[in-house]
Amino acid sequence: MKKIIPSSANTSAHQPGAFTTALRPIVIAVMASLASTTMAQDIDNAEPDTHTVVVTGSTNYSGPVNTPATIETVTVKELSDTTNVMNIEDALKYFPSVMVRKRFNGDTNEPVTSRTTGVNASARTLVFADGVLLSTLVNNNNGNGSPQWFMVSPEEIDSIDVMYGPFSAAYAGNSYGAVIQLNTRMPKQFEATVKVNVSKQNFDLYNTRKSYKSGDLNATIGNRQGAFSWFISANHLDSFGQPITFGTISQSTKTATGALPVITGAISDFNRTGGAIEVISAGNIAHTIQDTAKVKLAYDLTPQTSLSYMLGFWQNSAKTQVTTYLNNTSGVLATPYYGAANGNVNIGGYSYSASSIAGQFSSNNTQQEHWIQSLALDSKNNGTWDWNAVVSNVRYTTDLTRSSTGIYPTAMITGAGRITDASGTGWTTVDAKASYRPDANQSQHILSFGIHADQFKLVSPTYNTTDWLNGSTGAVYTNSLGKTQTKALWLQDEWHISPTLLATLGGRYEQWKALNGYNYAIASNGTGFPVNQPSVAHNGFSPKATLAWKANDLWQITGSVGRALRFPTVGELYQNVQTGTTYTQANPYLKPEDVTSTEFAFERKTKESRVRVSVFGELVSDALISQTSTITGYATPVSFTQNIDKTRQRGIELVAEKDNAFISGLQLSGSLTFVDALILANSSYVPTIAGATSIGKHTPYIPDWRATLVATYRPDTKWAYTLAGRYTGRQYATVDNTDINPGTYQGFESFFVTDVRVHYQVNRQWSVSAGIDNLNNEKYYLYHPFSQRTAYAEVKYTY
């Protein structure tokens, strides 16, 4: 691994390779060329649009509501040809300005990012499957707030839509990042599929050099018999992941004296703030076994009205390991070293506390069982009235994480630890919506309206145990409980002002409250402190407006503005967590984020091409962002969510597509996004180092540049060859941007990866595919080290 020497506190010490450095102008040039080629080559073969007005959005699959915002879509056929998909979240790889933080196959902590939201803000994006909420709005982080992606298997998918911005009144303020709709299919006749997918990653970082394999088996079966249809899917994943954490200790300045044990194997490096460290271990090396099963039933009560029910189950059994890089060479034979309860050791001529070393070694095992179900009644008359109602529930019947606290190697097989039990966590949502066309499809006004209610419940006690692998729970170590509830009414009017001008006006009124908050923690003196947290409540109105002008048969110009209120999650309000040496403090007095978003989109579309330029802006008052600092009375750093007074994000996004580009069968598509994201005011900031400030600093976790470029060549109906690239620019993890060294564990650095895939449709029943993600073997960090070059192979049978 390359060594990085930090420079000044205001500049990044990470020096990317020449290829990555040159990427930005190359991508800009390619995208500009693609856009200009698209416009020039299609100016003569443009097909007049048969509709008088084109709405920027498309019909919402979860109900009869049009979405007045920019939407990007991918179909199952496009995914099959172009994308290496092991888990459903892989399908979002090439969407403009979107990234899912997937660290390895089987990862369960996978928040999604959008134009103006980052990997620590899972509650700023909504994820649905057929109108059922998969977003885990019990928290807003990259851990237990991540969406329940695993509840949907890739073989269920018909298409995926991503809607950008909070411009539809039908969605809560959490939509200000994006709304992702996973649209699954129901069979029209008997069908069955079986797919086997395997992968192999070669990982090489520090002293870890190993291959990690994964295998996935997916099967579906379904049929339609008259008015009744059914669909069953099952998925089994067995995955080995690379290390996602590293044990580190600060470089000692104390010279080793006396006959201290000599320890070798430590690797000198720098942490993200530029401090000298020694890397001593690789941790959280997970072996994950997951199973998903789902049943969907539908019955047509009338030709226009259907009743459907869905029941899904997911289980996860994950075990992690830790590997030491250290060896004790003081004896006759060198032996692996894990630290000790007391004493000091000699590493490189300096003295280190053996207990500090021991604190870097820990393992955890997880056992989870989650259930999801929904009941929906849907009417699609395409006449005066359309309506939809859906009730859904997600419940964690089992969610246990067992962690060791003892000293290795004994802790590998027994010893003290802690058990965190999130069983009972879950949420329930109720949505009813309708659309009214006074004169059927000739109406000048189309009214949509609806009601919404939800409740999110967090259960998260942690217990001490004498046997972290198999023991029962002992005394309570910490506890966090609480609920949030929301009730909402919304109304939206599509006003066809003229054959070429469409205005969409709407608003959403919400009443929100948090209640039953409770925390328990043990102070350093051993005294327990129970706290009944106060209930809090907020309400507010969020207006929306969009104006779309169909300038001619090729061009449409759309302007949108909308307010969004993103209420705090129960975890932000009430959850205390201690992770390593960092303590996360609950804050029950948080105010909702108040967001004003705008977008101006210029889109040109022909039969074989599309170009869109979107200029967007976002002003957030009381932004909820986690900050970390040392506070009087706490021995360890405290991470706490605070309302940052004001942040501003503004940028531009270019999206282009071209079929039969240069040669027949070649499809090019790509996107380029630039975001200028700044903190404008932050009265709650506590300096982490002397002279530091957060004013004028880059908003955390939002990259400055993002780009995708996908080329797919289909010489005939059987073969598809794809080469794709993904680029994400520099981002910061701290409000004062003091993480100046991104190319290290816990740093956030720019990266560029290329992917390839070959798909061959043997016949109607059989298809085979092979591909490689991260072909150029980019080694990069987004806090954790991400997957390196990974090969995929896939075989699918369809009856």
Side-chain angles (χ1 to χ4, degrees):
M1 177 179 175
K2 62 181 181 290
K3 295 297 183 291
I4 301 168
I5 300 177
S7 57
S8 70
N10 294 321
T11 59
S12 170
H14 174 54
Q15 299 297 327
F19 185 69
T20 303
T21 304
L23 175 67
R24 186 181 303 169
I26 291 175
V27 171
I28 293 173
V30 171
M31 288 298 299
S33 175
L34 175 58
S36 60
T37 301
T38 297
M39 296 175 67
Q41 290 186 353
D42 288 312
I43 197 70
D44 295 326
N45 67 344
E47 285 199 352
D49 200 312
T50 57
H51 301 283
T52 55
V53 172
V54 177
V55 180
T56 309
S58 61
T59 301
N60 182 349
Y61 286 85
S62 63
V65 180
N66 283 339
T67 52
T70 297
I71 288 183
E72 297 290 334
T73 300
V74 66
T75 66
V76 64
K77 177 63 169 63
E78 292 169 327
L79 289 173
S80 178
D81 285 352
T82 65
T83 310
N84 300 315
V85 177
M86 177 75 78
N87 310 115
I88 188 60
E89 58 271 22
D90 295 328
L92 294 163
K93 281 178 193 171
Y94 308 124
F95 274 90
S97 308
V98 169
M99 187 195 76
V100 178
R101 190 204 72 163
K102 178 181 177 179
R103 300 167 297 181
F104 58 91
N105 291 324
D107 192 2
T108 57
N109 295 330
E110 301 173 291
V112 60
T113 72
S114 66
R115 290 169 175 170
T116 59
T117 65
V119 296
N120 72 327
S122 56
R124 293 176 178 172
T125 297
L126 293 175
V127 180
F128 295 93
D130 302 320
V132 177
L133 183 68
L134 300 184
S135 292
T136 306
L137 301 183
V138 296
N139 221 326
N140 179 44
N141 58 21
N142 51 25
N144 68 339
S146 298
Q148 308 279 292
W149 299 107
F150 34 79
M151 285 298 184
V152 179
S153 68
E155 291 307 292
E156 293 182 72
I157 287 296
D158 183 65
S159 64
I160 299 176
D161 298 326
V162 175
M163 183 186 81
Y164 298 84
F167 305 120
S168 172
Y171 298 102
N174 308 80
S175 65
Y176 84 80
V179 175
I180 298 173
Q181 292 274 8
L182 307 178
N183 308 304
T184 71
R185 71 181 193 278
M186 287 295 286
K188 298 179 180 179
Q189 59 187 15
F190 180 79
E191 64 168 70
T193 67
V194 177
K195 186 177 77 171
V196 177
N197 204 344
V198 296
S199 71
K200 179 182 178 182
Q201 176 196 176
N202 293 321
F203 187 83
D204 184 356
L205 193 60
Y206 291 119
N207 280 346
T208 301
R209 299 173 183 86
K210 192 173 181 181
S211 295
Y212 298 94
K213 300 177 182 178
S214 300
D216 181 79
L217 174 63
N218 187 263
T220 69
I221 186 171
N223 196 9
R224 182 178 180 92
Q225 298 162 303
F228 178 68
S229 58
W230 56 274
F231 186 85
I232 301 173
S233 64
N235 190 81
H236 176 75
L237 173 70
D238 191 336
S239 173
F240 292 85
Q242 81 280 2
I244 60 171
T245 62
F246 292 101
T248 65
I249 53 176
S250 297
Q251 172 66 55
S252 174
T253 58
K254 183 179 180 181
T255 302
T257 59
L260 295 179
V262 177
I263 307 299
T264 61
I267 303 169
S268 298
D269 207 340
F270 298 94
N271 62 23
R272 71 183 187 182
T273 60
I277 59 172
E278 298 291 332
V279 181
I280 63 174
S281 66
N284 278 289
I285 307 170
H287 177 206
T288 302
I289 297 177
Q290 297 180 10
D291 294 287
T292 304
K294 185 182 291 185
V295 177
K296 296 188 293 184
L297 308 174
Y299 185 77
D300 294 336
L301 302 174
T302 70
Q304 293 80 32
T305 307
S306 64
L307 178 69
S308 60
Y309 174 74
M310 179 271 291
L311 177 66
F313 169 78
W314 171 78
Q315 80 81 26
N316 174 43
S317 177
K319 297 182 178 181
T320 68
Q321 299 178 357
V322 61
T323 299
T324 183
Y325 292 156
L326 303 179
N327 288 285
N328 187 340
T329 60
S330 296
V332 177
L333 296 175
T335 57
Y337 184 72
Y338 300 93
N342 49 58
N344 296 299
V345 295
N346 181 339
I347 299 179
Y350 293 92
S351 177
Y352 291 85
S353 165
S355 61
S356 296
I357 294 173
Q360 296 300 314
F361 292 91
S362 178
S363 293
N364 61 82
N365 295 344
T366 301
Q367 188 64 51
Q368 297 171 293
E369 293 182 359
H370 295 186
W371 291 85
I372 185 171
Q373 58 181 328
S374 67
L375 182 67
L377 189 62
D378 194 28
S379 172
K380 296 182 179 179
N381 299 305
N382 293 319
T384 302
W385 284 97
D386 281 340
W387 47 267
N388 167 272
V390 59
V391 180
S392 67
N393 174 262
V394 175
R395 181 173 175 81
Y396 301 2
T397 53
T398 301
D399 202 301
L400 296 174
T401 300
R402 294 172 170 267
S403 304
S404 67
T405 58
I407 297 176
Y408 269 60
T410 303
M412 293 180 182
I413 55 175
T414 188
R418 296 195 177 102
I419 302 172
T420 298
D421 187 358
S423 306
T425 297
W427 58 92
T428 299
T429 63
V430 179
D431 283 281
K433 59 188 75 171
S435 64
Y436 173 61
R437 305 175 182 86
D439 301 312
N441 291 323
Q442 305 301 316
S443 300
Q444 186 180 13
H445 291 271
I446 300 176
L447 293 177
S448 302
F449 52 91
I451 60 173
H452 168 86
D454 64 50
Q455 176 175 280
F456 293 88
K457 179 182 179 181
L458 173 67
V459 180
S460 187
T462 297
Y463 304 91
N464 290 317
T465 181
T466 57
D467 180 359
W468 75 275
L469 281 168
N470 302 300
S472 58
T473 57
V476 176
Y477 177 68
T478 64
N479 197 2
S480 299
L481 305 171
K483 295 179 181 178
T484 60
Q485 298 174 350
T486 308
K487 299 176 182 178
L489 296 170
W490 61 270
L491 174 67
Q492 191 164 280
D493 177 25
E494 295 179 25
W495 178 18
H496 294 256
I497 301 172
S498 73
T500 61
L501 199 61
L502 172 64
T504 305
L505 306 174
R508 184 181 184 92
Y509 177 76
E510 294 165 300
Q511 291 181 335
W512 171 90
K513 66 178 179 178
L515 63 161
N516 298 341
Y518 172 80
N519 291 118
Y520 177 83
I522 298 177
S524 56
N525 62 3
T527 303
F529 289 93
V531 178
N532 290 305
Q533 300 286 13
S535 297
V536 290
H538 295 281
N539 58 71
F541 178 72
S542 302
K544 325 277 186 176
T546 297
L547 185 63
W549 176 42
K550 182 68 175 174
N552 54 43
D553 291 336
L554 298 177
W555 286 94
Q556 177 169 301
I557 302 173
T558 306
S560 301
V561 61
R563 184 194 188 201
L565 292 173
R566 206 281 286 177
F567 297 101
T569 62
V570 60
E572 288 172 300
L573 294 165
Y574 299 137
Q575 186 167 30
N576 286 335
V577 176
Q578 185 165 357
T579 305
T581 59
T582 300
Y583 182 71
T584 302
Q585 174 67 43
N587 186 351
Y589 298 103
L590 297 173
K591 293 179 287 186
E593 295 181 314
D594 193 339
V595 185
T596 300
S597 293
T598 58
E599 180 183 10
F600 292 94
F602 306 84
E603 186 169 23
R604 182 184 187 278
K605 187 184 298 184
T606 72
K607 180 180 179 180
E608 291 189 340
S609 71
R610 180 172 69 97
V611 176
R612 173 175 59 80
V613 177
S614 291
V615 179
F616 56 88
E618 177 183 273
L619 190 64
V620 184
S621 298
D622 296 317
L624 291 168
I625 297 178
S626 179
Q627 305 183 57
T628 301
S629 68
T630 300
I631 294 180
T632 302
Y634 290 85
T636 60
V638 175
S639 175
F640 51 100
T641 299
Q642 291 286 321
N643 285 114
I644 290 182
D645 301 290
K646 201 171 293 293
T647 70
R648 184 208 65 206
Q649 289 68 240
R650 58 188 181 189
I652 185 169
E653 180 181 77
L654 169 64
V655 178
E657 299 174 358
K658 179 70 176 74
D659 293 337
N660 300 314
F662 308 111
I663 61 173
S664 177
L666 178 61
Q667 181 185 54
L668 297 178
S669 63
S671 65
L672 180 67
T673 306
F674 172 74
V675 180
D676 177 30
L678 294 178
I679 295 174
L680 302 182
N682 184 14
S683 58
S684 61
Y685 173 69
V686 178
T688 56
I689 60 175
T693 180
S694 62
I695 305 302
K697 299 298 185 179
H698 199 88
T699 309
Y701 303 105
I702 301 175
D704 50 2
W705 288 91
R706 296 187 226 202
T708 64
L709 192 60
V710 183
T712 300
Y713 177 56
R714 300 178 179 88
D716 52 40
T717 58
K718 291 183 175 291
W719 289 94
Y721 305 87
T722 297
L723 173 63
R726 294 172 280 144
Y727 174 76
T728 294
R730 178 71 163 101
Q731 56 188 295
Y732 292 89
T734 57
V735 294
D736 50 20
N737 297 177
T738 53
D739 47 326
I740 60 172
N741 182 32
T744 189
Y745 172 54
Q746 299 186 5
F748 286 76
E749 63 181 324
S750 62
F751 66 89
F752 171 67
V753 296
T754 55
D755 310 324
V756 295
R757 180 175 172 87
V758 178
H759 176 77
Y760 178 57
Q761 192 69 40
V762 181
N763 52 39
R764 192 186 69 82
Q765 288 83 22
W766 288 95
S767 66
V768 295
S769 303
I772 301 174
D773 279 356
N774 196 358
L775 177 66
N776 53 315
N777 202 31
E778 178 90 327
K779 299 179 181 180
Y780 64 98
Y781 296 90
L782 296 178
Y783 192 97
H784 306 276
F786 271 59
S787 297
Q788 297 175 14
R789 183 183 295 121
T790 305
Y792 291 85
E794 172 191 308
V795 178
K796 180 179 177 180
Y797 175 78
T798 303
Y799 178 82

